[in-house]
Amino acid sequence: MFLIVGLGNPERKYEGTRHNVGFEAIDAISKKFGIEVSHKEHKGIVGKGVINGHKVMLVKPQTYMNLSGECVREMCDYYEVDPETELLVISDDVSLSTGNIRVRKKGSAGGHNGLKNIIAHTGSNVFPRIRVGVGECENGDMVSHVLGHYDAEDRERVDASMDKVIGALELFLEDNLDGAMNQFNVKEKVE
């Protein structure tokens, strides 16, 4: 069983915000592979299904971004998922240009509170992740930036990035994270 977790905030007011791009990725995966994500379990909304012959569980934590690790830890424990090889976390990244993605096997939280909380609850920063670029904060108000909505051009870029996320997910499921990094990581300055 693979646990595919998209980070975001519950409540309608957060839909379409930069911070909720992980939820959008789960929605895109759900639509592409016909996996309904509607069952409430372990502080998340989940859907179970099969992608390319692999059993998966798609998860949207409902604990709000900063407490995402509570849901992830409970799901990993209950389903005996190894975070190093069977967990994939999808989140936003303000240090990537809008619509670019970066695939990693492990790493720091990079200032992302959802990832910080997952690291705190799992006790490790060694878990695969896909970070989706939502653009840099230009006005210095990070909260307003990540909880803000895209303009029309950036919305198109993010929508187009979902195909890349799905491609990287499929390679992850085939135990080819290196291939995903080679194919989808854009070379750009990361601060």
Side-chain angles (χ1 to χ4, degrees):
M1 171 78 74
F2 290 94
L3 204 58
I4 315 303
V5 179
L7 302 187
N9 286 307
E11 289 190 67
R12 185 170 290 264
K13 68 182 179 180
Y14 296 112
E15 287 178 12
T17 62
R18 291 177 182 89
H19 230 13
N20 271 36
V21 76
F23 279 12
E24 290 183 35
I26 293 298
D27 291 342
I29 295 163
S30 165
K31 183 178 179 183
K32 166 124 178 138
F33 297 102
I35 301 170
E36 184 179 346
V37 179
S38 61
H39 178 71
K40 292 182 181 180
E41 179 177 339
H42 299 289
K43 299 180 184 173
I45 304 285
V46 304
K48 297 177 186 177
V50 177
I51 297 176
N52 301 342
H54 302 280
K55 289 182 183 179
V56 300
M57 184 172 295
L58 305 180
V59 182
K60 293 180 183 179
Q62 299 296 292
T63 52
Y64 291 89
M65 181 65 75
N66 295 354
L67 300 175
S68 298
E70 292 178 11
C71 173
V72 172
R73 176 80 266 163
E74 285 187 28
M75 297 290 287
C76 286
D77 287 349
Y78 186 82
Y79 289 100
E80 298 180 358
V81 168
D82 179 358
E84 289 188 24
T85 58
E86 299 168 327
L87 169 67
L88 179 68
V89 176
I90 306 168
S91 68
D92 59 297
D93 190 330
V94 297
S95 64
L96 288 174
S97 298
T98 304
N100 285 341
I101 73 167
R102 175 153 288 124
V103 182
R104 289 283 184 254
K105 293 179 181 180
K106 62 182 179 177
S108 73
H112 192 286
N113 288 332
L115 292 173
K116 277 183 196 173
N117 197 255
I118 292 170
I119 291 168
H121 278 273
T122 61
S124 174
N125 68 352
V126 182
F127 57 86
R129 75 269 321 254
I130 299 173
R131 297 181 77 154
V132 180
V134 296
E136 291 184 35
C137 175
E138 295 178 2
N139 66 7
D141 184 354
M142 187 60 73
V143 172
S144 293
H145 179 69
V146 297
L147 296 181
H149 292 82
Y150 307 99
D151 62 24
E153 189 176 314
D154 282 350
R155 177 78 263 170
E156 285 182 23
R157 288 184 180 129
V158 169
D159 289 345
S161 75
M162 293 301 129
D163 287 337
K164 294 183 259 184
V165 170
I166 289 169
L169 163 66
E170 290 179 297
L171 288 169
F172 162 75
L173 293 173
E174 296 300 328
D175 196 25
N176 190 6
L177 215 49
D178 288 330
M181 290 188 289
N182 288 335
Q183 183 172 345
F184 294 107
N185 287 359
V186 175
K187 305 293 185 250
E188 64 176 77
K189 182 181 175 188
V190 177
E191 297 181 21

